[in-house]
């Protein structure tokens, strides 16, 4: 009976230890992603998808229209800059195309990269930096040589040599087979599908050379407060061709992209707390039963001169043995499920001895608290009453 109870309780403590450590790892992982510099200036940045009104794309010249639209948005109060693109950070799923150098020693090097269309103010609006070379111009002549900007990680992967002035091909279609690299843009993590993928390979293409409908508009404010949805919708609608189908902020989209990870952290924390409560209740029940079943023995010990502190130690000793067995079992369990946990955490190590020590300390404190009342009860037993106990 009691031996089986102790074994079951040790197993419960082992599971609780694993839950507490896993909860700490998930929470630390989420905190790490939130604090990590993604390379994007999120403060005051909004992102909105545009769609045509009925007949809005009929008989139009997209280039002049979007120049007019951005100028109108730029003139709104508190707007620092505005730009267009064919994707949205943290919202749209990244897609990749093969990218390769056309000439030079790295001509055989082909990597996967995400091609995106952006306007000339995109770098400023999203808080990026032009590390080398020149950015896009607001108007690019169709007869001029097509150019591209690339991200810093992509520049390193394309052979590692100086790429400014070289030519690349993007994808397998005919449109982007000979692009001159004119600039390198700082690394930016636009997707959190895999938070560990912090080195994004991106090819930036000039939206003004390839204007297209259904873009996203990005607005950066001076105050740091996102532009009002109502004001932005009115500005877009006033030109009579498009409307804002979906308005959001970069901060909200970042939170949404991490919702699954955050939910996992909350659930693991809830189960860890539940496990601690169940372990405490189990220890309390086991020790209470232990005190009652050994009342006669306690009476004999006290009649023979045992101090009340020794009786308390006797009860606590039972707790220590059960908890230590559970800690050993929990540590072995963590070693076994470490590879599984690794697939859910980012930027931190799975085997964190500091977190393990903290979890063990929490378990020990919980166990001592659960043992306190039975220990006090045992120490307060009167020897004569205990000897008469059946």
């Amino acid at each position: 009976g009691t031996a089986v109870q102790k074994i079951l309780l040790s197993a419960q403590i082992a599971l609780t230890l694993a839950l507490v450590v896993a909860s700490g790892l998930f929470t630390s992982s989420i905190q790490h992603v939130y604090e990590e510099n993604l390379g994007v200036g999120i403060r005051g940045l909004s992102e909105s998808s545009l769609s045509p009104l009925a007949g809005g794309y009929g008989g139009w010249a997209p280039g002049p229209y979007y120049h007019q639209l951005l100028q109108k948005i730029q003139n709104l109060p508190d707007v620092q800059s505005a730009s267009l693109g064919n994707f949205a950070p943290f919202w749209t799923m990244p897609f990749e195309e093969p990218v390769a150098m056309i000439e030079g020693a790295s001509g055989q090097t082909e990597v996967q990269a995400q091609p995106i269309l952006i306007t000339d103010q995109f770098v400023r609006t999203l808080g990026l930096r032009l590390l080398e070379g020149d950015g896009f111009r607001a108007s690019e002549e169709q007869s001029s040589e097509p150019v591209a900007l690339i991200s810093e990680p992509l520049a390193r992967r394309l052979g590692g040599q100086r790429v400014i002035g070289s030519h690349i091909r993007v994808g397998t279609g005919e449109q982007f087979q000979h692009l001159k690299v004119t600039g390198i843009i700082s690394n930016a993590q636009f997707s959190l599908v895999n938070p560990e993928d912090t080195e994004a390979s991106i090819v930036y293409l000039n939206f003004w050379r390839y204007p297209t409908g259904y873009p996203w508009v990005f607005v950066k404010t001076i105050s740091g407060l996102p532009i009002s949805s109502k004001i932005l919708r009115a500005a877009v609608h006033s030109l009579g061709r498009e409307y804002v189908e979906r308005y959001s902020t970069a901060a909200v989209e970042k939170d949404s992209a991490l919702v699954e990870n955050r939910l996992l952290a909350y659930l693991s924390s809830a189960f860890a707390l539940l496990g601690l409560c169940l372990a405490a209740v189990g220890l309390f029940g086991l020790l209470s039963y232990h005190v009652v079943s050994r009342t006669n023995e306690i009476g004999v010990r006290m009649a023979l001169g045992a101090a009340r502190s020794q009786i308390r130690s006797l009860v606590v000793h039972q707790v220590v043995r059960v908890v230590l067995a559970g800690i050993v079992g929990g540590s072995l369990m963590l070693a076994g499920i470490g590879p599984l946990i690794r697939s859910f955490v980012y930027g931190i190590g799975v085997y964190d001895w500091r977190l393990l020590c903290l979890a063990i300390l929490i378990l020990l404190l919980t166990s001592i608290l659960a043992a306190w009342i039975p220990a006090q009860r045992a120490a307060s037993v009167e020897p004569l009453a205990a000897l008469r106990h059946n």
Side-chain angles (χ1 to χ4, degrees):
T2 304
V4 174
Q5 286 178 318
K6 289 180 180 179
I7 292 173
L8 292 176
L9 191 55
S10 293
Q12 183 180 331
I13 290 173
L15 181 59
T16 300
L17 177 64
L19 284 172
V20 171
V21 173
S23 171
L25 288 172
F26 293 142
T27 303
S28 297
S29 176
I30 289 294
Q31 189 65 28
H32 173 79
V33 175
Y34 270 107
E35 293 177 352
E36 186 178 14
N37 181 15
L38 303 179
V40 183
I42 292 177
R43 185 172 180 268
L45 178 64
S46 66
E47 46 190 62
S48 307
S49 62
L50 305 184
S51 293
L53 296 167
Y57 287 167
W60 71 322
Y65 164 73
Y66 285 123
H67 276 293
Q68 182 184 8
L69 174 63
L70 287 183
Q71 187 61 49
K72 190 173 188 65
I73 295 174
Q74 186 72 55
N75 291 333
L76 293 174
D78 194 34
V79 172
Q80 175 179 301
S81 63
S83 60
L84 297 172
N86 68 339
F87 87 114
F90 317 125
W91 169 250
T92 52
M93 291 290 290
F95 65 96
E96 295 185 332
E97 294 277 2
V99 176
M101 299 288 289
I102 294 177
E103 73 281 312
S106 59
Q108 300 301 315
T109 301
E110 183 174 279
V111 298
Q112 293 293 311
Q114 179 185 4
I116 60 176
L117 291 170
I118 62 170
T119 57
D120 54 293
Q121 289 294 310
F122 179 87
V123 172
R124 181 186 179 201
T125 305
L126 272 75
L128 309 181
R129 291 175 295 119
L130 184 64
L131 301 179
E132 190 176 349
D134 299 318
F136 290 140
R137 296 188 299 273
S139 59
E140 182 179 334
E141 297 293 335
Q142 293 296 323
S143 58
S144 63
E145 182 179 16
V147 300
L149 307 176
I150 62 176
S151 65
E152 184 182 11
L154 179 57
R156 291 197 303 267
R157 288 166 185 161
L158 288 175
Q161 86 288 7
R162 181 180 174 86
V163 294
I164 299 294
S166 301
H167 294 80
I168 60 173
R169 56 177 173 82
V170 180
T172 56
E174 298 181 359
Q175 192 173 27
F176 308 121
Q177 290 300 297
H178 198 274
L179 303 173
K180 181 180 180 180
V181 178
T182 60
I184 299 176
I185 295 179
S186 58
N187 180 41
Q189 193 174 354
F190 293 136
S191 172
L192 291 175
V193 174
N194 180 10
E196 281 192 318
D197 185 15
T198 57
E199 299 284 301
S201 292
I202 302 173
V203 176
Y204 298 94
L205 306 171
N206 195 342
F207 182 93
W208 297 124
R209 188 180 182 95
Y210 315 101
T212 180
Y214 298 92
W216 289 79
V217 59
F218 310 104
V219 182
K220 183 81 165 183
T221 60
I222 300 171
S223 67
L225 299 175
I227 188 173
S228 164
S229 170
K230 182 178 180 181
I231 293 176
L232 181 61
R233 291 178 188 275
V236 174
H237 197 273
S238 67
L239 295 184
R241 288 196 177 274
E242 293 180 312
Y243 69 97
V244 174
E245 181 176 0
R246 182 181 184 277
Y247 169 90
S248 188
T249 67
V252 168
E253 293 308 320
K254 180 182 177 182
D255 286 343
S256 299
L258 295 171
V259 66
E260 291 184 6
N261 305 73
R262 195 163 57 247
L263 179 61
L264 187 60
Y266 290 156
L267 286 175
S268 64
S269 297
F271 281 121
L273 180 61
L274 177 62
L276 280 173
C277 292
L278 290 177
V281 170
L283 281 170
F284 178 82
L286 177 65
L287 292 174
S288 296
Y289 174 78
H290 176 74
V291 169
V292 172
S293 64
R294 298 182 64 179
T295 300
N296 287 338
E297 178 189 342
I298 292 172
V300 171
R301 288 175 180 270
M302 296 187 71
L304 293 175
R308 295 186 185 277
S309 60
Q310 292 176 310
I311 300 301
R312 290 193 196 95
S313 298
L314 178 68
V315 176
V316 172
H317 181 68
Q318 299 294 321
V319 175
V320 171
R321 286 197 298 179
V322 172
V323 173
L324 286 180
I327 288 173
V328 172
S331 300
L332 293 175
M333 185 183 301
L334 284 169
I337 65 175
L340 177 62
I341 296 178
R342 185 180 290 111
S343 62
F344 292 97
V345 298
Y346 312 101
I348 60 174
V350 174
Y351 303 107
D352 189 338
W353 65 269
R354 292 171 298 181
L355 184 58
L356 179 61
C357 289
L358 178 62
I360 291 174
L361 179 61
I362 292 173
L363 267 178
L364 287 174
L365 291 176
T366 304
S367 303
I368 291 172
L369 185 63
W372 182 252
I373 294 178
Q376 284 293 97
R377 186 180 300 165
S380 63
V381 170
E382 292 297 330
L384 293 179
L387 291 172
R388 289 196 297 267
H389 184 272
N390 294 321

